[in-house]
Amino acid sequence: MKFKSFISTSLLFVIIISLNLQAQESTVKQSESESRRNLVQYVKPLMGTDSKFALSNGNTYPAIARPWGMNFWTPQTSPMGDGWAYQYDDHQIRGFKQTHQPSPWMNDYAAFSLMPVTGSIKFKGEERESWFSHKTETVKPHYYKVYLAEPNVWAEVTPTARSAYFRFTFPEKDASYILLDGFNQGSKVEIIPEKNMIVGFCRNNRGGVPDNFHNYFVARFDKSFEYTHTWNNEKLNKNDRIEEGDHVGAIVGFKTSKNEKVHVKVSSSFISLEQAKLNLKREIGEKTFAQTRKEGFEEWNRELNRIQVEGGTQDQTETFYSCLYRTLLFPRKFYEFDEDGNRIHYSPYNGKIENGYMHTDNGFWDTFRAVFPFFSVMYRDFNANYMKSLVNTYEEGGWLPEWASPGYRNVMIGSNSASIIANTYMSGIRGYDIEKLYEAMIKNTKGHGPVEAVGRLGAKYYNELGYVPYDVGINENAARTLEYAYNDYCIWRVAKALDKPEAEIEKFARRSQNYRHLFSEEYNLMRGRNEDGSFQEPFNPFKWGDAFTEGNSWHYTWSVFHDPKGLMNLMGGKEQFVAMLDSVFVLPPKFDESYYGQVIHEIREMQIAGMGQYAHGNQPIQHMIYLYNYAGQPWKAQKHVREVMDRLYMPTPDGYTGDEDNGQTSAWYVLSAMGFYSVAPASNQFVFGSPIFNKITLNLENGKQFTITAPNNSEKNIYIRSHFIKAKKHLNTIKPVFNSII
């Protein structure tokens, strides 16, 4: 099929750069625009919550939070410790949990919960849980409300970054209670009736914390206590006011009149109880529930209005802003402010109280692909501060992380912090110690750190042979080789920019080509290679895992982000390259799950998507569609990217296919819906796709605007006839055009 056959149903793609000379005036206009447009209404925090272990439609929970907030809150429908804390098909709520969970697979840490009960005291999770209906839920990024049938209570919560405001509307009862569950793995509660307060700490975690890890909390009530109880594991203690143990909680009670509202202001700190009280005073203080809720709405609305879309359907608009909301949740802020307003943080790396920025809860294997490239355009100040956080991480822990939650976690592969650093620096973002980060990137290339996922497992083999061998006991070896090669490209980019010695620059340029060692001419695919140079036998390109990570050879062969032309040449040129790309969608969704011993959810999600071997539910292949551009057939990229957006994303509880993963799958949609994507983030280039909106306005941090218009856009009219940037015609990529305006 030839490009000219599409011209009769093509759209014109124009990108207009508005160079506002007076940024202050532009900011005022943007503020006025924000007051006119309520974009929060389009966000559906329940998108992706219809998930389970065996099949993910997002594996999300409704995160009631502020952007990048230190704490989130969520209704809890599952037992304590279950990573699937809120499942859409559940019918009972057992608490409202402060959560820091980035993924059900990583699970939670520093969690505790509040729950109202009436009548007799019920403190065990399975006893206190209450039936509820989605028909009574109000779920917004900044606010949650639900009716709890058993206690006959309406529960509401609205958070700040480190605190939260609860409002419980009780019936007329002689015995109404609010309990605070400190969860297991070590907790303490203290009831202070004269101050209408509960204080304490919790220590639950899944690793990645020093021995002195605590989350200190304070809860202030606006109603005096008539009853006080604590519990320890399964034992209820009447009138005891202090309790410490593996799993403890506090219960306070009072008489309530009909529709009486009881307010609870809650805050926490990883530093100290006094810091938790300071966080509460600073973020909520004497504000009302309505004021706190309004501030949360305004903060989210301000961020959502950074990108204004026009011309899409209701579903497309809701999906877009729901994905944008998810993109702005992680990595969370892990720092606090002392009495003098200085940033301080508890270090999850050395257990000390340190100065400056700290962020956490991020898996770089996922987010280097789209989240951070998105930040490099829209949130440059945040990206600069995140680089400061990485400097602190390196100085406090000795290594850059691959997965942090809150400290080093032994999950996933690669050293993709290099991509995030290179993307940020090559995008012209400054204000941090790039030399220190370069030192850290180099250290990562020499071996692995305190856990295998930190640094590079198999570095000795890779540095000597140019690949991690298949037969030396290192799992996912081919995937590691491919990612290390791209990571070396990232280091090469930064080394050149920093004018490092020529030999050093050349070393990483050469290593960036190591992907070639795994290319099998017999199959035109990537394949594990043994230490003696022979390829792995037997080889099944449909086998998941083994030499690859959560995918097979058909997925990972395309992980040559930085050199599509080189991969194209290995395959025999453009025609064969396109034929192999086409094959991904033409092949049946067959698989070999023997490495895992079961059909993992990522396999099942590929199987049922109806797109052959294309497995959008997992990250390794998400850039692959855009490779058609490099082979001179952009219309195929446009076709498939529209198909993915239309079929695999919806603003519904089953609205994703596969794990959402810290904003990555959402950021893919946000960028793709705007008509471009970052194939190789360190290249500082974006590749064109097919925007789904007629007009998209990016309100940049410096007050300037980047406007994308796609006239004649429709569900059927998806092919682009021409691109124009600043009235100049371009072919397939947006080169570093953003740097001219941001």
Side-chain angles (χ1 to χ4, degrees), residues 280-322:
L280 184 60
K281 178 181 178 181
R282 176 180 286 117
E283 295 189 356
I284 295 183
E286 300 305 314
K287 295 173 186 174
T288 65
F289 185 91
Q291 286 174 319
T292 306
R293 178 182 173 181
K294 183 174 184 291
E295 289 178 359
F297 168 83
E298 290 175 346
E299 183 172 349
W300 272 111
N301 206 42
R302 180 172 62 251
E303 299 306 336
L304 297 174
N305 268 277
R306 297 279 287 273
I307 305 178
Q308 297 171 334
V309 301
E310 302 173 36
T313 66
Q314 181 78 9
D315 278 357
Q316 288 172 333
T317 303
E318 290 180 354
T319 301
F320 182 86
Y321 285 111
S322 298

Side-chain angles (χ1 to χ4, degrees), residues 479-654:
R480 295 180 193 277
T481 298
L482 294 169
E483 294 197 23
Y484 295 165
Y486 169 65
N487 300 154
D488 283 339
Y489 165 81
C490 298
I491 297 172
W492 169 72
R493 292 275 287 170
V494 177
K496 282 188 66 178
L498 295 179
D499 198 25
K500 294 299 179 182
E502 191 60 37
E504 192 166 322
I505 295 172
E506 172 57 28
K507 177 173 70 174
F508 290 105
R510 184 176 64 256
R511 287 186 182 178
S512 74
Q513 297 297 301
N514 280 342
Y515 69 88
R516 296 172 179 271
H517 294 297
L518 300 188
F519 186 77
S520 169
E521 293 182 2
E522 180 181 355
Y523 291 92
N524 246 2
L525 293 168
M526 297 296 176
R527 182 178 176 186
R529 193 159 204 156
N530 296 319
E531 188 175 8
D532 65 5
S534 62
F535 282 111
Q536 71 173 100
E537 290 288 356
F539 173 63
N540 180 356
F542 300 103
K543 185 176 183 179
W544 282 61
D546 195 17
F548 301 100
T549 302
E550 295 181 3
N552 61 34
S553 182
W554 279 106
H555 306 144
Y556 251 98
T557 289
W558 313 106
S559 292
V560 187
F561 314 93
H562 55 296
D563 192 14
K565 184 177 180 181
L567 179 60
M568 192 182 309
N569 290 338
L570 288 177
M571 288 185 173
K574 290 183 179 181
E575 186 174 334
Q576 186 61 25
F577 183 74
V578 168
M580 293 296 288
L581 289 169
D582 290 343
S583 296
V584 171
F585 299 102
V586 172
L587 287 167
K590 62 184 296 186
F591 55 85
D592 174 354
E593 78 284 10
S594 59
Y595 175 79
Y596 300 106
Q598 61 178 323
V599 178
I600 62 174
H601 77 94
E602 292 92 345
I603 295 176
R604 191 69 72 201
E605 289 139 17
M606 178 199 73
Q607 183 190 32
I608 65 177
M611 298 184 73
Q613 286 291 316
Y614 183 73
H616 190 79
N618 211 21
Q619 282 64 41
I621 203 170
Q622 287 183 351
H623 70 290
M624 165 257 172
I625 289 174
Y626 288 93
L627 295 179
Y628 280 110
N629 288 276
Y630 297 90
Q633 296 191 19
W635 58 91
K636 289 188 176 179
Q638 294 155 27
K639 172 185 181 293
H640 289 300
V641 76
R642 282 290 192 105
E643 182 181 12
V644 171
M645 287 191 285
D646 291 343
R647 180 188 296 185
L648 304 184
Y649 288 84
M650 296 173 289
T652 56
D654 62 344

Side-chain angles (χ1 to χ4, degrees), residues 73-76 93-99 112-116 128 144-148 154-157 166 168 183:
W73 291 85
T74 190
Q76 178 190 350
I93 288 174
R94 59 178 60 197
F96 301 93
K97 183 174 74 161
Q98 185 190 93
T99 177
F112 63 94
S113 69
L114 276 71
M115 182 67 180
R128 72 187 189 226
Y144 180 85
K145 180 179 181 179
V146 70
Y147 175 67
L148 302 173
W154 283 93
E156 301 168 84
V157 62
F166 282 86
F168 299 105
F183 284 29

Side-chain angles (χ1 to χ4, degrees), residues 21 74 79 96 106 255 338 401 461 465 538 592 600 658:
L21 298 179
T74 190
F96 301 93
M106 304 299 292
K255 296 178 182 179
D338 66 16
Y461 291 108
L465 300 175
D592 174 354
I600 62 174

Side-chain angles (χ1 to χ4, degrees), residues 302-432:
R302 180 172 62 251
E303 299 306 336
L304 297 174
N305 268 277
R306 297 279 287 273
I307 305 178
Q308 297 171 334
V309 301
E310 302 173 36
T313 66
Q314 181 78 9
D315 278 357
Q316 288 172 333
T317 303
E318 290 180 354
T319 301
F320 182 86
Y321 285 111
S322 298
C323 286
L324 182 54
Y325 147 78
R326 288 282 168 194
T327 304
L328 300 182
L329 289 174
F330 297 102
R332 78 173 68 255
K333 298 171 182 175
F334 203 72
Y335 59 87
E336 305 171 53
F337 293 91
D338 66 16
E339 290 185 354
D340 298 322
N342 300 311
R343 291 181 186 85
I344 56 175
H345 62 269
Y346 167 80
S347 174
Y349 301 100
N350 64 21
K352 300 177 182 179
I353 308 304
E354 302 278 6
N355 295 320
Y357 288 96
M358 180 56 61
H359 297 78
T360 191
D361 289 324
N362 216 251
F364 295 160
W365 184 82
D366 303 291
T367 58
F368 86 84
R369 305 165 194 268
V371 173
F372 282 92
F374 172 75
F375 290 164
S376 73
V377 175
M378 296 304 302
Y379 288 94
R380 294 166 69 81
D381 289 345
F382 179 87
N383 230 358
N385 294 335
Y386 191 76
M387 292 300 106
K388 296 175 185 176
S389 173
L390 282 184
V391 170
N392 289 336
T393 296
Y394 176 59
E395 292 185 331
E396 295 164 21
W399 296 82
L400 294 170
E402 180 67 13
W403 236 114
S405 182
Y408 299 124
R409 297 289 294 275
N410 197 23
V411 181
M412 306 316 294
I413 67 164
S415 53
N416 292 301
S417 52
S419 181
I420 292 166
I421 294 166
N423 172 232
T424 302
Y425 192 74
M426 301 311 297
S427 296
I429 299 172
R430 300 291 186 267
Y432 49 90

